[in-house]
Amino acid sequence: MVFQVSHTTSYFYESGVTFCHNIATLKPKDMIGQTVLDYNIDISPTPTEISEKLDFFGNTVTRFSIQQYHKELKVTTNSKIRRDYSLQPNIYDSIEGKSITLQQALMALKSYEEPILAVRQFALESILIAKITPEIKAYAEVSFKPNRPVFEAAFELMQRIYTDFEFNREFTNVATPIHDVMKEKKGVCQDFAQIAIACVRSAGLPARYVSGYIETLPPPGKVKLVGADASHAWFSVYIPKFGWVDFDPTNNQIPKNQHIVVSWGRDYYDVPPLKGVIYSTGKNKMKVAVDIRPAV
């Protein structure tokens, strides 16, 4: 499948801005099963300085600064991506991968060989997932048991979060602690991914946060509205003898062609679509419009 993705972020500043420096993590990944056919980024006002590089996690980041007065910042990316999930390794085809137990996985993760050393960082605390509370650990232990296959446990965890948590855009924002989400059982895809990561790490396993997009379909008989989509997030678990396996607790499914990967990190803090600093006073507003549809 080939998708056309448009992502526009607009900031409106009450008092205007005289200087800003920003980092955008918006370019989809080139990887097995996903090919970026075309990509461009348009920034208004035109940046004084702009550069592109890979970050520590291998994500493409664009750094730019604007050194002129402006009351609005608009960042638009357009991507054309080919997705073919069948090219990726399939956990169901791996006897070792789908059968390795938690106890066996923890033993394998003690190795000093690559790629084990590279994934160990994803088993540690991170900025937004800093302290595993007894409540989170207890929730994880329902699924993760010593002699149970890791894949089976992670799949069940995904299903439980989908069932137990309410999708609610009004309850959280990017600064809401995961412990509040755990207590109230409310949040959005970002929160559900981070709850799952905290659970997986509480069992001693590596888990990473995946940022991207998902194709959404309008209700029957309705026309899809331009810009009505949104960024998406899910989680990935490292299973020794196989590798990384993605899980989407918001939609209760293992991501396939409809999921487009942009970046990954330890939690949301590592891979926000856009972040930066500004020199200004007063309030500001942000508007985001995302559109994903099959390419013509």
Side-chain angles (χ1 to χ4, degrees):
M1 299 182 70
V2 178
F3 293 100
Q4 194 75 44
V5 180
S6 173
H7 185 152
T8 299
T9 305
S10 301
Y11 287 93
F12 305 93
Y13 305 107
E14 181 181 51
S15 303
V17 172
T18 55
F19 172 85
C20 70
H21 183 74
N22 303 274
I23 299 176
T25 309
L26 292 164
K27 185 176 182 178
K29 279 185 173 291
D30 258 315
M31 61 185 201
I32 297 174
Q34 178 173 298
T35 303
V36 179
L37 303 175
D38 190 31
Y39 171 83
N40 65 75
I41 183 169
D42 181 69
I43 302 168
S44 177
T46 302
T48 307
E49 298 177 352
I50 185 168
S51 63
E52 184 178 282
K53 63 177 290 185
L54 294 180
D55 70 5
F56 178 79
F57 301 102
N59 308 309
T60 300
V61 296
T62 302
R63 300 174 183 269
F64 65 93
S65 62
I66 299 172
Q67 300 174 25
Q68 66 184 76
Y69 178 82
H70 56 283
K71 298 203 70 171
E72 177 183 352
L73 170 64
K74 187 174 183 180
V75 179
T76 299
T77 59
N78 286 287
S79 310
K80 190 174 184 179
I81 301 111
R82 178 186 290 120
R83 282 289 280 131
D84 188 349
Y85 176 78
S86 67
L87 298 177
Q88 298 175 219
N90 191 331
I91 183 68
Y92 291 105
D93 295 334
S94 172
I95 296 176
E96 282 189 307
K98 67 182 179 183
S99 62
I100 187 170
T101 66
L102 173 60
Q103 191 173 46
Q104 292 170 332
L106 293 177
M107 285 297 296
L109 287 166
K110 292 181 179 180
S111 168
Y112 288 96
E113 298 179 359
E114 289 286 353
I116 299 300
L117 287 176
V119 303
R120 279 187 181 178
Q121 64 180 312
F122 292 100
L124 304 175
E125 292 184 350
S126 54
I127 290 177
L128 298 181
I129 308 174
K131 183 181 179 182
I132 306 300
T133 62
E135 290 77 16
I136 289 176
K137 188 170 179 60
Y139 191 82
E141 287 175 344
V142 172
S143 297
F144 288 90
K145 301 183 183 302
N147 294 317
R148 189 180 192 187
V150 171
F151 173 70
E152 184 181 298
F155 195 94
E156 182 184 88
L157 175 66
M158 172 187 72
Q159 294 179 315
R160 289 172 55 220
I161 293 175
Y162 175 78
T163 302
D164 296 344
F165 287 71
E166 173 193 339
F167 188 88
N168 188 320
R169 297 182 186 276
E170 305 301 320
F171 179 70
T172 62
N173 57 48
V174 295
T176 303
I178 60 169
H179 314 304
D180 291 351
V181 178
M182 188 71 210
K183 179 181 178 181
E184 299 297 330
K185 300 292 194 297
K186 297 178 183 179
V188 293
C189 59
Q190 167 196 311
D191 304 304
F192 302 159
Q194 294 187 146
I195 286 291
I197 291 169
C199 288
V200 174
R201 289 180 185 167
S202 77
L205 298 170
R208 67 187 182 190
Y209 180 96
V210 186
S211 176
Y213 305 107
I214 183 172
E215 179 192 25
T216 57
L217 300 175
K222 300 292 184 179
V223 177
K224 184 173 181 177
L225 299 177
V226 175
D229 295 312
S231 296
H232 193 46
W234 55 97
F235 73 102
S236 188
V237 179
Y238 184 81
I239 301 179
K241 310 295 185 183
F242 181 78
W244 291 100
V245 182
D246 288 5
F247 300 88
D248 181 354
T250 304
N251 295 289
N252 193 29
Q253 61 182 256
I254 290 181
K256 296 184 179 180
N257 282 340
Q258 285 72 26
H259 288 72
I260 298 168
V261 178
V262 172
S263 55
W264 54 57
R266 295 163 299 177
D267 55 39
Y268 173 83
Y269 188 86
D270 286 332
V271 291
L274 193 64
K275 64 181 177 180
V277 293
I278 62 172
Y279 189 77
S280 179
T281 58
K283 299 179 180 179
N284 65 76
K285 294 181 180 179
M286 181 182 73
K287 180 181 178 182
V288 178
V290 178
D291 190 68
I292 309 158
R293 59 188 66 230
V296 178

